């Protein structure tokens, strides 16, 4: 992992479901600003790809750190769902 670029991609409630970041990436963490109760799903590559991370979080600031080498999104990190009015997530990828 040393020497690879770490990047952050923002997604807000109401944004279209889409791949964020490079085609192949490791999910290192997710930062969540939840104005309302929040749920999000990250999938591998598409809306029908394997679920990589599926969480429900309370109102407030939430840091989700992925240990070790993160979660490999071999076909890209696809933000399939983000619920809760006014919520925003930042997906940290390498």
């Amino acid at each position: 992992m040393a020497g690879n670029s770490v990047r952050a991609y923002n997604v807000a409630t109401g944004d279209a479901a889409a791949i964020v970041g490079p085609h192949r990436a490791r999910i290192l963490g997710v930062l969540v600003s939840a104005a309302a109760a929040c749920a999000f799903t990250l999938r591998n590559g598409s809306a029908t790809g394997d679920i990589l991370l599926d969480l429900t979080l309370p109102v407030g600031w939430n840091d989700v750190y992925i240990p070790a080498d993160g979660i490999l999104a071999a076909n890209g990190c696809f933000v399939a769902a983000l619920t809760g009015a006014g919520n925003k997530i930042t997906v940290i990828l390498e």
Side-chain angles (χ1 to χ4, degrees):
M1 285 183 36
N4 293 334
S5 295
V6 174
R7 307 240 172 164
Y9 299 89
N10 296 313
V11 180
T13 303
D15 288 354
I19 287 183
V20 295
H23 182 68
R24 178 182 170 92
R26 289 195 177 271
I27 303 165
L28 301 179
V30 183
L31 307 174
V32 181
S33 175
C38 176
F40 68 90
T41 303
L42 304 180
R43 291 181 172 264
N44 187 28
S46 72
T48 59
D50 291 337
I51 293 174
L52 302 175
L53 185 61
D54 186 34
L55 291 175
T56 301
L57 299 169
V59 171
W61 184 259
N62 298 276
D63 298 325
V64 179
Y65 293 104
I66 311 300
D69 289 337
I71 299 170
L72 178 61
N75 297 318
C77 178
F78 188 89
V79 180
L82 173 60
T83 65
N87 291 340
K88 298 176 184 173
I89 64 172
T90 301
V91 181
I92 302 169
L93 301 174
E94 177 181 54

